Short mmCIF file of all heavy atoms in Angstrom, two decimals:
data_model
loop_
_atom_site.label_atom_id
_atom_site.label_comp_id
_atom_site.label_asym_id
_atom_site.label_seq_id
_atom_site.Cartn_x
_atom_site.Cartn_y
_atom_site.Cartn_z
N PHE A 105 -0.54 -18.12 0.55
CA PHE A 105 -1.17 -16.85 0.20
C PHE A 105 -1.04 -16.61 -1.30
O PHE A 105 -2.02 -16.21 -1.97
CB PHE A 105 -0.53 -15.71 0.99
CG PHE A 105 -1.33 -14.45 1.01
CD1 PHE A 105 -2.14 -14.14 2.06
CD2 PHE A 105 -1.25 -13.52 -0.07
CE1 PHE A 105 -2.88 -12.93 2.08
CE2 PHE A 105 -2.00 -12.38 -0.07
CZ PHE A 105 -2.81 -12.07 1.00
N PHE A 106 0.14 -16.85 -1.83
CA PHE A 106 0.39 -16.63 -3.24
C PHE A 106 -0.43 -17.60 -4.10
O PHE A 106 -1.06 -17.21 -5.10
CB PHE A 106 1.85 -16.81 -3.56
CG PHE A 106 2.18 -16.61 -5.04
CD1 PHE A 106 2.30 -15.31 -5.54
CD2 PHE A 106 2.35 -17.69 -5.87
CE1 PHE A 106 2.62 -15.14 -6.91
CE2 PHE A 106 2.65 -17.50 -7.24
CZ PHE A 106 2.77 -16.21 -7.73
N ASN A 107 -0.52 -18.84 -3.67
CA ASN A 107 -1.28 -19.87 -4.45
C ASN A 107 -2.78 -19.54 -4.44
O ASN A 107 -3.47 -19.81 -5.44
CB ASN A 107 -1.05 -21.25 -3.82
CG ASN A 107 0.40 -21.74 -3.98
OD1 ASN A 107 1.15 -21.24 -4.79
ND2 ASN A 107 0.79 -22.68 -3.13
N ILE A 108 -3.27 -18.97 -3.39
CA ILE A 108 -4.71 -18.72 -3.22
C ILE A 108 -5.10 -17.41 -3.90
O ILE A 108 -6.09 -17.36 -4.63
CB ILE A 108 -5.16 -18.75 -1.77
CG1 ILE A 108 -5.03 -20.15 -1.20
CG2 ILE A 108 -6.55 -18.24 -1.58
CD1 ILE A 108 -5.19 -20.25 0.33
N ARG A 109 -4.34 -16.37 -3.67
CA ARG A 109 -4.73 -15.01 -4.15
C ARG A 109 -3.98 -14.61 -5.42
O ARG A 109 -4.28 -13.56 -5.98
CB ARG A 109 -4.46 -13.97 -3.05
CG ARG A 109 -5.30 -14.08 -1.84
CD ARG A 109 -6.79 -14.03 -2.11
NE ARG A 109 -7.17 -13.05 -3.11
CZ ARG A 109 -8.46 -12.83 -3.43
NH1 ARG A 109 -9.42 -13.52 -2.84
NH2 ARG A 109 -8.75 -11.95 -4.34
N HIS A 110 -3.00 -15.38 -5.86
CA HIS A 110 -2.15 -15.02 -7.01
C HIS A 110 -1.51 -13.67 -6.79
O HIS A 110 -1.24 -12.92 -7.71
CB HIS A 110 -3.00 -15.03 -8.28
CG HIS A 110 -3.76 -16.31 -8.50
ND1 HIS A 110 -3.12 -17.48 -8.79
CD2 HIS A 110 -5.08 -16.59 -8.49
CE1 HIS A 110 -4.03 -18.44 -8.93
NE2 HIS A 110 -5.19 -17.92 -8.71
N GLN A 111 -1.18 -13.43 -5.55
CA GLN A 111 -0.44 -12.17 -5.18
C GLN A 111 0.40 -12.55 -3.95
O GLN A 111 -0.09 -13.16 -3.00
CB GLN A 111 -1.40 -11.10 -4.82
CG GLN A 111 -0.69 -9.85 -4.24
CD GLN A 111 -1.66 -8.69 -4.00
OE1 GLN A 111 -2.17 -8.13 -4.95
NE2 GLN A 111 -1.82 -8.32 -2.75
N PRO A 112 1.65 -12.16 -3.95
CA PRO A 112 2.48 -12.45 -2.79
C PRO A 112 2.02 -11.70 -1.56
O PRO A 112 1.53 -10.59 -1.64
CB PRO A 112 3.87 -11.95 -3.25
CG PRO A 112 3.82 -11.79 -4.72
CD PRO A 112 2.38 -11.48 -5.06
N LEU A 113 2.17 -12.33 -0.40
CA LEU A 113 1.83 -11.72 0.85
C LEU A 113 2.68 -10.43 1.01
O LEU A 113 2.22 -9.43 1.54
CB LEU A 113 2.07 -12.65 2.02
CG LEU A 113 1.76 -12.12 3.43
CD1 LEU A 113 0.34 -11.60 3.54
CD2 LEU A 113 2.05 -13.15 4.49
N ILE A 114 3.89 -10.47 0.51
CA ILE A 114 4.79 -9.33 0.63
C ILE A 114 4.21 -8.10 -0.07
O ILE A 114 4.38 -6.96 0.34
CB ILE A 114 6.17 -9.66 0.07
CG1 ILE A 114 7.20 -8.59 0.37
CG2 ILE A 114 6.15 -9.93 -1.40
CD1 ILE A 114 8.59 -8.96 -0.04
N SER A 115 3.45 -8.33 -1.16
CA SER A 115 2.82 -7.21 -1.88
C SER A 115 1.66 -6.63 -1.12
O SER A 115 1.43 -5.43 -1.11
CB SER A 115 2.30 -7.70 -3.29
OG SER A 115 3.40 -8.04 -4.09
N THR A 116 0.94 -7.52 -0.38
CA THR A 116 -0.10 -7.03 0.48
C THR A 116 0.42 -6.15 1.59
O THR A 116 -0.15 -5.11 1.95
CB THR A 116 -0.86 -8.24 1.08
OG1 THR A 116 -1.44 -8.99 0.01
CG2 THR A 116 -1.98 -7.80 2.02
N ILE A 117 1.57 -6.55 2.19
CA ILE A 117 2.18 -5.76 3.22
C ILE A 117 2.71 -4.43 2.64
O ILE A 117 2.59 -3.38 3.28
CB ILE A 117 3.34 -6.55 3.89
CG1 ILE A 117 2.88 -7.89 4.42
CG2 ILE A 117 4.05 -5.72 4.97
CD1 ILE A 117 1.79 -7.75 5.49
N ALA A 118 3.23 -4.48 1.42
CA ALA A 118 3.68 -3.26 0.81
C ALA A 118 2.56 -2.24 0.62
O ALA A 118 2.76 -1.03 0.83
CB ALA A 118 4.32 -3.61 -0.57
N ARG A 119 1.38 -2.74 0.24
CA ARG A 119 0.23 -1.87 0.10
C ARG A 119 -0.14 -1.16 1.42
O ARG A 119 -0.41 -0.02 1.45
CB ARG A 119 -0.98 -2.69 -0.40
CG ARG A 119 -2.27 -1.89 -0.44
CD ARG A 119 -3.38 -2.66 -1.07
NE ARG A 119 -3.18 -2.84 -2.49
CZ ARG A 119 -3.01 -4.00 -3.10
NH1 ARG A 119 -2.97 -5.12 -2.39
NH2 ARG A 119 -2.81 -4.05 -4.40
N LYS A 120 -0.03 -1.92 2.53
CA LYS A 120 -0.36 -1.29 3.82
C LYS A 120 0.78 -0.39 4.28
O LYS A 120 0.49 0.62 4.99
CB LYS A 120 -0.56 -2.43 4.86
CG LYS A 120 -1.72 -3.38 4.54
CD LYS A 120 -3.01 -2.58 4.27
CE LYS A 120 -3.55 -1.89 5.48
NZ LYS A 120 -4.84 -1.15 5.20
N ILE A 121 2.01 -0.63 3.91
CA ILE A 121 3.10 0.29 4.26
C ILE A 121 2.76 1.66 3.56
O ILE A 121 2.89 2.72 4.15
CB ILE A 121 4.43 -0.22 3.73
CG1 ILE A 121 4.91 -1.42 4.59
CG2 ILE A 121 5.49 0.85 3.73
CD1 ILE A 121 5.50 -1.04 5.89
N SER A 122 2.36 1.60 2.30
CA SER A 122 2.04 2.84 1.57
C SER A 122 0.91 3.60 2.22
O SER A 122 0.99 4.83 2.42
CB SER A 122 1.66 2.53 0.12
OG SER A 122 2.79 2.08 -0.63
N SER A 123 -0.17 2.89 2.62
CA SER A 123 -1.33 3.59 3.19
C SER A 123 -0.99 4.10 4.55
O SER A 123 -1.45 5.22 4.95
CB SER A 123 -2.51 2.63 3.23
OG SER A 123 -2.30 1.55 4.10
N SER A 124 -0.17 3.41 5.33
CA SER A 124 0.13 3.91 6.65
C SER A 124 0.96 5.17 6.62
O SER A 124 0.79 6.08 7.37
CB SER A 124 0.87 2.83 7.46
OG SER A 124 2.15 2.57 6.94
N PHE A 125 1.89 5.22 5.62
CA PHE A 125 2.68 6.48 5.49
C PHE A 125 1.80 7.62 5.00
O PHE A 125 1.98 8.74 5.39
CB PHE A 125 3.83 6.23 4.46
CG PHE A 125 5.12 5.90 5.12
CD1 PHE A 125 5.39 4.63 5.61
CD2 PHE A 125 6.12 6.87 5.28
CE1 PHE A 125 6.54 4.30 6.25
CE2 PHE A 125 7.31 6.53 5.92
CZ PHE A 125 7.54 5.28 6.37
N TYR A 126 0.84 7.32 4.10
CA TYR A 126 -0.05 8.32 3.61
C TYR A 126 -0.87 8.95 4.78
O TYR A 126 -0.92 10.16 4.95
CB TYR A 126 -0.99 7.77 2.56
CG TYR A 126 -2.09 8.69 2.15
CD1 TYR A 126 -1.83 9.80 1.32
CD2 TYR A 126 -3.38 8.48 2.65
CE1 TYR A 126 -2.88 10.62 0.94
CE2 TYR A 126 -4.40 9.34 2.27
CZ TYR A 126 -4.15 10.42 1.44
OH TYR A 126 -5.16 11.25 1.08
N TRP A 127 -1.51 8.06 5.56
CA TRP A 127 -2.38 8.56 6.62
C TRP A 127 -1.63 9.29 7.67
O TRP A 127 -2.10 10.21 8.29
CB TRP A 127 -3.13 7.40 7.25
CG TRP A 127 -4.21 6.81 6.37
CD1 TRP A 127 -4.24 5.53 5.83
CD2 TRP A 127 -5.42 7.46 5.91
NE1 TRP A 127 -5.37 5.38 5.06
CE2 TRP A 127 -6.10 6.53 5.12
CE3 TRP A 127 -5.93 8.71 6.12
CZ2 TRP A 127 -7.31 6.83 4.51
CZ3 TRP A 127 -7.14 9.01 5.50
CH2 TRP A 127 -7.82 8.10 4.72
N ASN A 128 -0.39 8.89 7.95
CA ASN A 128 0.36 9.46 9.05
C ASN A 128 1.17 10.71 8.70
O ASN A 128 1.61 11.41 9.57
CB ASN A 128 1.25 8.40 9.63
CG ASN A 128 0.51 7.44 10.53
OD1 ASN A 128 0.09 7.82 11.63
ND2 ASN A 128 0.36 6.23 10.07
N THR A 129 1.35 10.97 7.39
CA THR A 129 2.20 12.11 7.04
C THR A 129 1.51 13.13 6.17
O THR A 129 1.99 14.29 6.10
CB THR A 129 3.45 11.64 6.26
OG1 THR A 129 3.02 11.03 5.01
CG2 THR A 129 4.25 10.66 7.06
N SER A 130 0.38 12.82 5.58
CA SER A 130 -0.17 13.74 4.62
C SER A 130 -1.27 14.61 5.16
O SER A 130 -1.56 15.69 4.64
CB SER A 130 -0.72 13.00 3.40
OG SER A 130 -1.80 12.12 3.80
N LEU A 131 -2.00 14.11 6.16
CA LEU A 131 -3.18 14.81 6.64
C LEU A 131 -3.08 15.16 8.09
O LEU A 131 -2.08 14.89 8.76
CB LEU A 131 -4.38 13.95 6.33
CG LEU A 131 -4.58 13.60 4.87
CD1 LEU A 131 -5.64 12.55 4.69
CD2 LEU A 131 -4.93 14.85 4.07
N ASP A 132 -4.15 15.72 8.65
CA ASP A 132 -4.18 16.08 10.07
C ASP A 132 -4.16 14.80 10.92
O ASP A 132 -4.51 13.70 10.50
CB ASP A 132 -5.42 16.86 10.38
CG ASP A 132 -5.44 18.22 9.65
OD1 ASP A 132 -4.32 18.69 9.40
OD2 ASP A 132 -6.50 18.73 9.36
N ASP A 133 -3.82 15.00 12.20
CA ASP A 133 -3.71 13.85 13.10
C ASP A 133 -5.03 13.12 13.31
O ASP A 133 -5.02 11.91 13.64
CB ASP A 133 -3.20 14.33 14.47
CG ASP A 133 -1.73 14.70 14.43
OD1 ASP A 133 -1.05 14.26 13.51
OD2 ASP A 133 -1.32 15.43 15.33
N ILE A 134 -6.13 13.72 13.03
CA ILE A 134 -7.41 13.04 13.21
C ILE A 134 -7.55 11.88 12.24
O ILE A 134 -8.35 10.96 12.46
CB ILE A 134 -8.64 13.97 13.10
CG1 ILE A 134 -8.68 14.58 11.69
CG2 ILE A 134 -8.58 15.05 14.13
CD1 ILE A 134 -9.96 15.36 11.43
N TYR A 135 -6.78 11.88 11.17
CA TYR A 135 -6.83 10.81 10.17
C TYR A 135 -5.78 9.78 10.35
O TYR A 135 -5.68 8.79 9.62
CB TYR A 135 -6.81 11.37 8.74
CG TYR A 135 -7.95 12.27 8.43
CD1 TYR A 135 -7.77 13.64 8.26
CD2 TYR A 135 -9.24 11.73 8.27
CE1 TYR A 135 -8.85 14.46 7.98
CE2 TYR A 135 -10.30 12.56 7.97
CZ TYR A 135 -10.12 13.93 7.81
OH TYR A 135 -11.13 14.73 7.50
N SER A 136 -4.84 10.08 11.26
CA SER A 136 -3.68 9.18 11.48
C SER A 136 -4.03 7.93 12.24
O SER A 136 -3.78 7.86 13.44
CB SER A 136 -2.53 9.96 12.10
OG SER A 136 -2.15 11.02 11.33
N ILE A 137 -4.62 7.01 11.57
CA ILE A 137 -5.19 5.82 12.27
C ILE A 137 -4.50 4.52 11.96
O ILE A 137 -4.83 3.49 12.53
CB ILE A 137 -6.69 5.67 11.88
CG1 ILE A 137 -6.85 5.67 10.37
CG2 ILE A 137 -7.51 6.76 12.49
CD1 ILE A 137 -8.30 5.53 9.88
N GLU A 138 -3.46 4.56 11.12
CA GLU A 138 -2.69 3.36 10.86
C GLU A 138 -1.29 3.52 11.46
O GLU A 138 -0.67 4.54 11.31
CB GLU A 138 -2.63 3.11 9.34
CG GLU A 138 -3.98 2.79 8.74
CD GLU A 138 -3.83 2.04 7.42
OE1 GLU A 138 -2.83 1.30 7.25
OE2 GLU A 138 -4.71 2.17 6.58
N ASP A 139 -0.81 2.45 12.07
CA ASP A 139 0.45 2.46 12.78
C ASP A 139 1.55 2.05 11.80
O ASP A 139 1.76 0.88 11.55
CB ASP A 139 0.37 1.53 13.95
CG ASP A 139 1.63 1.64 14.86
OD1 ASP A 139 2.62 2.29 14.39
OD2 ASP A 139 1.63 1.10 15.93
N GLY A 140 2.32 3.07 11.31
CA GLY A 140 3.36 2.78 10.33
C GLY A 140 4.51 1.90 10.91
O GLY A 140 5.03 1.03 10.24
N SER A 141 4.87 2.16 12.19
CA SER A 141 5.95 1.42 12.78
C SER A 141 5.64 -0.05 12.91
O SER A 141 6.45 -0.93 12.71
CB SER A 141 6.35 1.98 14.13
OG SER A 141 5.24 1.95 15.01
N SER A 142 4.36 -0.35 13.26
CA SER A 142 3.93 -1.77 13.37
C SER A 142 3.93 -2.47 12.02
O SER A 142 4.30 -3.64 11.89
CB SER A 142 2.54 -1.82 13.98
OG SER A 142 2.54 -1.31 15.31
#
Side-chain angles (χ1 to χ4, degrees):
F105 195 98
F106 180 80
N107 293 341
I108 292 170
R109 294 304 318 184
H110 307 293
Q111 173 175 295
L113 179 58
I114 189 177
S115 293
T116 299
I117 303 302
R119 174 174 288 116
K120 299 307 294 181
I121 289 281
S122 290
S123 64
S124 67
F125 264 78
Y126 170 77
W127 288 115
N128 283 289
T129 62
S130 65
L131 301 170
D132 295 333
D133 287 339
I134 61 171
Y135 297 110
S136 299
I137 51 181
E138 293 201 30
D139 187 349
S141 60
S142 295

